[in-house]
């Protein structure tokens, strides 16, 4: 007897064909009740488990979904993956997880590995370097649907879930003006990210609404590294007229910004008000959280993205038609005050 029981072994013991065993295990109507019972009882005695590869071959599904995030250590993405895993378990899917570490090269490598593992679909939040999407659109030839979330491409013919950074930024600037701040600066992220462009548009909109001219000297960018953030803040503090409020790309950039500002003798949230995005959990435990942060609902984004992908996969399984319409969901962020 082999270590791992097979359909062939069950068939041999019961002196029936392999196809009869297979049909009995799947409750085929042509198989008699007595035969079904005998097959299932022996399968249970032998601790028989269906071969996942055989099931995949038959159903053309692996029930495995790939998820690629820039960095799981970030609070935002850990909350997203929790939602994705919760929903995956409810619907019988397994998650194959990978990190791009904000590198497009690693992003491509992870995708190639996932395709070899025959994932049914892919959820992805793009790396900071990703500004071309050929490696993702190429998944169409493998019949692998893609749903983007949070860091999404500026494309119409894709499935995506994201938070409105344009509106949130404009609202944030309006609130800062109401606190008496007139020189509001922005430390933005890499140009490759659509989210950076949305922040900048919202910033320009917020300033313009006050009938003020946008001073682009008040806009700097960071590559999201500590050094890049320090350099951006140093340029802002070197201006003849310093900003009296600074909006950082996210709460992690905010932490680096505040650290460096304190080294420069700045009284945080007094001399300069510091605002940000994401509303991460650690803000509750830091001495100087952003005075206002835009909550982008990471758990909800992950849940919605996973729901969309499951709907696509179920529809594809039922009618086997090519995807022609795209699901897009924009969430409205909420300002959270410290």
């Amino acid at each position: 007897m082999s270590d791992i029981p097979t359909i062939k072994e069950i068939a041999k013991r019961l002196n029936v064909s392999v196809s009869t065993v297979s049909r009995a295990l799947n409750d085929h109507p042509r198989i008699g009740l007595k035969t079904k019972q005998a097959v299932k009882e022996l399968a249970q005695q032998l601790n028989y488990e269906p071969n996942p590869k055989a099931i995949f071959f038959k159903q053309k599904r692996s029930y495995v979904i790939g998820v690629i995030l820039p960095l799981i250590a970030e609070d935002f993405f850990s909350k997203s993956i929790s939602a994705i895993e919760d929903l995956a378990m409810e619907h019988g899917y397994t998650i194959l997880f990978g990190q791009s570490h904000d590198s497009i090269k690693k992003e491509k490598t992870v995708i190639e590995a996932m395709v070899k593992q025959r994932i049914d679909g892919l959820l992805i939040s793009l790396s900071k370097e990703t500004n071309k999407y050929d490696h993702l659109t190429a998944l169409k030839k493998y019949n692998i649907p893609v749903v983007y979330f949070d860091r999404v491409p500026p494309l119409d013919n894709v499935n995506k879930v994201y938070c409105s950074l344009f509106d949130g930024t404009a609202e944030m600037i309006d609130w800062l003006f109401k606190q008496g701040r007139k020189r509001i600066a922005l430390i933005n992220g890499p140009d490759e990210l659509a989210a950076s462009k949305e922040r900048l548009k919202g910033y320009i909109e917020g300033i313009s609404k006050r009938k003020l001219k946008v001073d682009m000297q008040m806009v700097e960018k960071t590559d999201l590294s500590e050094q890049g953030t320090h350099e951006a803040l140093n340029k802002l503090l070197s201006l003849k007229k310093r900003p009296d409020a600074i909006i950082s790309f996210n709460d992690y950039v905010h932490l680096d910004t505040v650290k460096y500002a304190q080294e420069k003798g700045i009284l945080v949230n007094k001399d300069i008000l510091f605002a940000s995005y994401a509303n991460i959990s650690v803000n509750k435990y830091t001495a100087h959280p952003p005075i206002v942060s835009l909550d982008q609902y990471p758990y909800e984004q992950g849940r919605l993205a996973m729901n969309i992908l499951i709907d696509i996969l179920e529809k594809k399984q039922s009618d086997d038609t090519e995807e022609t319409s795209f699901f897009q969901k924009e969430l409205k962020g909420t300002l959270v005050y410290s």
Side-chain angles (χ1 to χ4, degrees):
M1 185 177 70
S2 61
D3 293 333
I4 301 175
T6 64
I7 285 181
K8 285 183 179 179
E9 186 174 333
I10 296 171
K12 185 177 179 181
R13 286 197 178 202
L14 295 176
N15 196 27
V16 296
S17 69
V18 171
S19 60
T20 296
V21 173
S22 178
R23 288 173 179 172
L25 289 171
N26 288 285
D27 288 316
H28 196 285
R30 288 188 180 179
I31 305 300
L33 183 61
K34 187 176 178 181
T35 303
K36 284 182 185 178
Q37 190 173 349
V39 168
K40 289 181 179 181
E41 284 179 0
L42 182 56
Q44 189 174 11
Q45 289 172 22
L46 298 176
N47 294 317
Y48 167 77
E49 292 289 342
N51 185 335
K53 289 185 178 179
I55 293 173
F56 170 76
F57 182 79
K58 183 179 179 181
Q59 299 184 356
K60 297 182 180 179
R61 299 179 78 174
S62 64
Y63 288 92
V64 176
I65 288 175
V67 181
I68 303 176
L69 305 174
L71 193 65
I72 188 59
E74 288 195 11
D75 183 80
F76 182 96
F77 294 119
S78 65
K79 287 178 179 175
S80 299
I81 197 70
S82 291
I84 291 166
E85 286 182 325
D86 288 347
L87 210 55
M89 289 184 69
E90 287 178 26
H91 289 82
Y93 286 93
T94 300
I95 296 298
L96 184 61
F97 171 71
Q99 299 180 89
S100 68
H101 293 282
D102 266 328
S103 160
I104 188 171
K105 184 178 179 181
K106 287 182 179 177
E107 186 175 273
K108 289 178 177 179
T109 300
V110 173
I111 288 173
E112 287 172 5
M114 287 184 172
V115 169
K116 289 177 182 176
Q117 292 296 317
R118 300 180 181 240
I119 57 171
D120 286 340
L122 177 68
L123 295 175
I124 183 168
S125 188
L126 298 172
S127 85
K128 69 181 182 183
E129 296 179 351
T130 306
N131 60 358
K132 292 182 180 179
Y133 316 103
D134 294 350
H135 59 298
L136 287 153
T137 55
L139 294 178
K140 188 175 182 180
K141 68 184 178 185
Y142 299 107
N143 204 21
I144 298 174
V146 180
V147 178
Y148 301 87
F149 71 98
D150 185 49
R151 295 190 189 176
V152 302
L155 305 173
D156 294 326
N157 59 336
V158 296
N159 304 293
K160 56 185 176 181
V161 177
Y162 58 99
C163 186
S164 173
L165 300 174
F166 175 85
D167 293 335
T169 304
E171 288 177 19
M172 194 184 299
I173 287 173
D174 185 59
W175 185 84
L176 290 169
F177 268 112
K178 288 176 181 176
Q179 310 313 304
R181 305 296 161 145
K182 307 297 182 185
R183 292 185 56 77
I184 302 170
L186 172 66
I187 297 180
N188 207 0
D191 290 338
E192 290 83 0
L193 290 177
S196 296
K197 296 179 176 67
E198 285 299 300
R199 283 169 171 81
L200 181 58
K201 288 178 183 176
Y203 173 83
I204 293 171
E205 174 71 9
I207 299 293
S208 301
K209 273 187 175 180
R210 292 282 169 169
K211 309 297 183 186
L212 296 173
K213 183 179 178 181
V214 177
D215 181 2
M216 291 307 292
Q217 283 190 310
M218 300 291 280
V219 179
E220 291 294 338
K221 63 182 176 183
T222 174
D223 60 1
L224 306 184
S225 70
E226 186 175 345
Q227 181 61 33
T229 300
H230 287 181
E231 290 173 3
L233 181 60
N234 196 43
K235 290 177 183 177
L236 292 174
L237 297 181
S238 299
L239 293 173
K240 192 171 182 180
K241 290 185 178 180
R242 281 184 172 183
D244 54 18
I246 296 175
I247 301 172
S248 294
F249 178 80
N250 62 27
D251 288 340
Y252 292 99
V253 172
H254 162 82
L255 292 173
D256 290 333
T257 303
V258 164
K259 177 185 173 185
Y260 190 62
Q262 286 181 293
E263 291 174 5
K264 289 288 188 177
I266 302 295
L267 295 178
V268 176
N269 290 335
K270 291 182 180 178
D271 296 339
I272 299 175
L273 294 185
F274 291 86
S276 187
Y277 301 80
N279 187 37
I280 61 175
S281 302
V282 75
N283 284 344
K284 294 182 286 188
Y285 308 105
T286 59
H288 300 289
I291 197 162
V292 60
S293 184
L294 185 72
D295 194 329
Q296 297 167 245
Y297 300 108
Y299 190 92
E300 183 70 2
Q301 284 201 48
R303 189 185 68 80
L304 286 169
M306 186 62 177
N307 250 330
I308 288 171
L309 185 55
I310 289 172
D311 285 346
I312 292 170
L313 292 172
E314 296 305 314
K315 185 178 179 182
K316 185 176 75 169
Q317 188 69 14
S318 62
D319 59 22
D320 203 32
T321 56
E322 189 175 337
E323 188 179 4
T324 54
S325 59
F326 298 94
F327 299 86
Q328 299 185 358
K329 178 68 176 177
E330 180 184 75
L331 299 176
K332 180 176 172 56
T334 302
L335 294 181
V336 178
Y337 310 96
S338 62

